Amino acid sequence: MQVTGTTGKVLAVHEDWNGGAGNGLGTLYAYKKARDKASGLGYDLDAMLSGGSSVALYHTAGKGTRLAPLPGAENNNKPGVKLPALLDVGGVPQALTVLEAVMRQTSSYASARGGRISVFWGDQVFVPSAGITKSTHAADILAALRPMPSKEEWEASQLHQYGLIALGRSGDATQLEKVTYDTAMAYLPADVDKVGTSLGSFSLSAKLLMALMDEFAPELHGKTACLDSDPHFWMPLTLRRDDYLAVMTNKGDAAEASAEHYDRMAAFKAKFQPDGGSLLGCVDVGAAALWWDYGRLELYQINNLHTTEVGLSPHLLRTFLKLQPVDAPESDTAGRQQGNRLGAGVAVDPTSVMLNCRIGAGRIGAGCVLVNVTAPTVDVDKAILMGVTSAAPVEGKCGVLYNVVHELAGEPLSASAVRADVFMSDGRHLPIKSSMATDGGKAWKQTLDGNELSFEGVYKANQALSVAECQKASAAAHARVAALVA
């Protein structure tokens, strides 16, 4: 209710597709499984969508390699990684998850998307500066549009590093992957007057969704192929054939397969929209849109510490996370401390965020984020402590401690590095250490110093386990050590 409201229905399904379906087929397959699940619960998802209901689908797949070791501490539940905000769960203050934050933010599109399914990614939160506008095409994609830049502006903004949406004066959109200015000018229609970085999130009308389900019914039944939305839906539907083949060849795809797929999508478009016109439009989030991505460890640190900073973006992020009232001035810091039990001598810098912490003594310096922390003494600066229970003093700066239980009362817990503890239902407790300089993707298979397993080893060990049972083991460990803290 605190995330989806009182009338929303929530269905959770998983992708049992060997090798992965890609986010294009994955969207269709997720809807198929959700539809079957809804039927078993007594309601017709197709009828609801066609009748004007708004449906949102959140993709949460992926190992979270770039965010390692944090997803491992959530037993591979990557969108379950915590943020500095509290929810009341059965009377217990629990940290808001990334997925819950995304669901809360994207719910603003529901009223403008009756009869559509909206597809979002589960690790990025954005706030449009252009308001919420209705869709005008059978499919649309979110992008931060700007006037068509010159070659110099294109290169200065490094637009060649992003997936792009170009918009013509007619409102029709063209999808491009990472291309240079000269390549873009060769591929784009002559009437393009706006271009912007794509957020990847898209929506489909009920009619288009059903048509795509029919078109790819063989793949959905056999769970074969891997198709992504950008290169396999939007690009063949918006680019000229030769241009599409050139782009896909540059990506390393076989020309014959790309040509066959383009022709298939062209036939689909002609059947779906026989009068012609573009299927794809764009919903502008505004060039000044705010975008907080939590998909990498570096960004997790940056965007959480952002809540302690000065400026419009930090102010709006705190408002979104309910760290201050909607109408509060930026100077109001009262909401940054909620539900704490602090010893008489604890000094807290007013910039820092502290939620539901029990700390006996010490100092919380500037720019810190502490959520659900229990410790006898804390002395930290610019550190993130998310779900930390320690029988010993916690001290350090610029580190990230996540789901950590530290039982050694005589050995201080360092907050100057990265540590995420993994609790398994079989009783294992694995402290996994890293550093802010470590790229989890590159170090995925390496067993770092002080660790029993690599990040990949943790991922594999978690796969067969029940997340719910692991959470119970984690909660029990935190409670046991918390009882030792006076």
Side-chain angles (χ1 to χ4, degrees):
M1 184 173 68
Q2 299 168 73
V3 175
T4 61
T6 57
T7 60
K9 298 181 185 295
V10 179
L11 297 168
V13 297
H14 72 286
E15 185 179 289
D16 53 344
W17 190 299
N18 188 33
N23 61 44
L25 283 180
T27 293
L28 305 182
Y29 187 60
Y31 181 81
K32 178 178 181 292
K33 295 195 73 173
R35 181 176 62 188
D36 293 344
K37 192 168 188 176
S39 178
L41 295 172
Y43 56 96
D44 187 332
L45 195 55
D46 281 353
M48 293 175 67
L49 184 60
S50 298
S53 293
S54 178
V55 175
L57 189 154
Y58 299 89
H59 281 300
T60 62
K63 298 177 182 178
T65 59
R66 299 177 303 161
L67 189 55
L70 306 193
E74 295 293 345
N75 306 100
N76 298 352
N77 181 20
K78 181 182 69 170
V81 169
K82 309 292 194 303
L83 299 179
L86 294 177
L87 296 176
D88 183 341
V89 181
V92 179
Q94 298 283 1
L96 182 77
T97 68
V98 174
L99 178 58
E100 289 164 342
V102 174
M103 293 173 72
R104 176 189 285 178
Q105 180 271 314
T106 54
S107 65
S108 59
Y109 282 93
S111 61
R113 290 187 171 177
R116 299 183 75 88
I117 182 169
S118 302
V119 180
F120 301 105
W121 314 128
D123 57 6
Q124 58 186 19
V125 178
F126 62 93
V127 176
S129 62
I132 305 296
T133 56
K134 291 188 175 183
S135 303
T136 58
H137 288 64
D140 65 59
I141 194 162
L142 294 177
L145 294 177
R146 55 189 282 183
M148 185 65 188
S150 65
K151 183 174 183 177
E152 292 72 21
E153 292 169 333
W154 186 286
E155 293 173 350
S157 299
Q158 298 185 321
L159 293 181
H160 64 282
Q161 295 188 8
Y162 300 94
L164 297 174
I165 294 295
L167 197 67
R169 286 184 289 275
S170 64
D172 297 341
T174 301
Q175 168 77 45
L176 284 175
E177 291 214 331
K178 302 170 183 177
V179 294
T180 65
Y181 177 84
D182 291 336
T183 300
M185 294 306 294
Y187 291 166
L188 293 177
D191 71 336
V192 166
D193 60 355
K194 292 182 180 178
V195 69
T197 52
S198 169
L199 274 66
S201 297
F202 60 91
S203 80
L204 309 171
S205 68
K207 181 182 177 182
L208 180 57
L209 172 65
M210 302 310 167
L212 287 169
M213 297 283 287
D214 289 341
E215 174 65 32
F216 291 102
E219 288 87 350
L220 297 175
H221 176 74
K223 293 188 279 192
T224 57
C226 177
L227 301 179
D228 288 319
S229 56
D230 286 355
H232 299 117
F233 289 176
W234 316 137
M235 288 170 60
L237 288 173
T238 59
L239 291 176
R240 294 182 293 265
R241 190 178 193 273
D242 288 347
D243 295 339
Y244 177 73
L245 296 184
V247 170
M248 298 306 286
T249 299
N250 288 337
K251 285 169 57 67
D253 287 17
E256 184 177 348
S258 296
E260 182 179 343
H261 182 72
Y262 184 92
D263 292 342
R264 178 184 186 180
M265 296 305 292
F268 169 82
K269 180 180 178 181
K271 180 180 178 181
F272 180 82
Q273 201 157 283
D275 293 336
S278 177
L279 293 183
L280 184 66
C282 177
V283 173
D284 185 14
V285 299
L290 299 174
W291 189 0
W292 304 301
D293 190 337
Y294 297 93
R296 298 201 325 257
L297 181 62
E298 177 189 16
L299 294 176
Y300 181 83
Q301 182 190 50
I302 288 172
N303 286 323
N304 279 320
L305 294 182
H306 198 50
T307 61
T308 71
E309 296 170 350
V310 175
L312 177 62
S313 177
H315 174 63
L316 293 177
L317 179 56
R318 286 192 295 272
T319 303
F320 172 72
L321 294 173
K322 299 187 177 181
L323 298 176
Q324 58 190 38
V326 172
D327 56 353
E330 184 180 332
S331 58
D332 183 355
T333 61
R336 301 188 198 188
Q337 296 189 41
Q338 301 175 17
N340 301 308
R341 290 171 289 166
L342 307 179
V346 176
V348 181
D349 189 278
T351 64
S352 290
V353 173
M354 288 186 66
L355 308 176
N356 195 43
C357 296
R358 180 164 68 90
I359 297 171
R363 181 189 67 90
I364 291 84
C368 291
V369 174
L370 283 71
V371 181
N372 289 336
V373 175
T374 299
T377 304
V378 171
D379 187 359
V380 291
D381 293 284
K382 293 190 178 299
I384 297 172
L385 279 62
M386 187 70 65
V388 175
T389 305
S390 176
V394 182
E395 53 192 42
K397 60 182 180 180
C398 302
V400 176
L401 300 181
Y402 190 95
N403 195 37
V404 170
V405 173
H406 186 72
E407 300 186 52
L408 302 176
E411 181 180 316
L413 173 61
S414 173
S416 297
V418 177
R419 172 176 162 180
D421 286 13
V422 182
F423 295 89
M424 300 185 178
S425 51
D426 59 8
R428 281 180 291 173
H429 172 195
L430 302 178
I432 303 298
K433 300 176 182 179
S434 187
S435 70
M436 290 308 306
T438 300
D439 183 324
K442 295 179 180 178
W444 184 246
K445 296 179 180 292
Q446 301 174 23
T447 302
L448 303 180
D449 290 344
N451 292 343
E452 182 178 330
L453 297 175
S454 65
F455 298 148
E456 182 183 51
V458 171
Y459 176 81
K460 290 181 177 179
N462 275 327
Q463 279 186 303
L465 304 179
S466 163
V467 173
E469 292 301 314
C470 293
Q471 288 178 339
K472 290 179 182 178
S474 174
H478 280 278
R480 184 181 68 254
V481 175
L484 304 176
V485 179

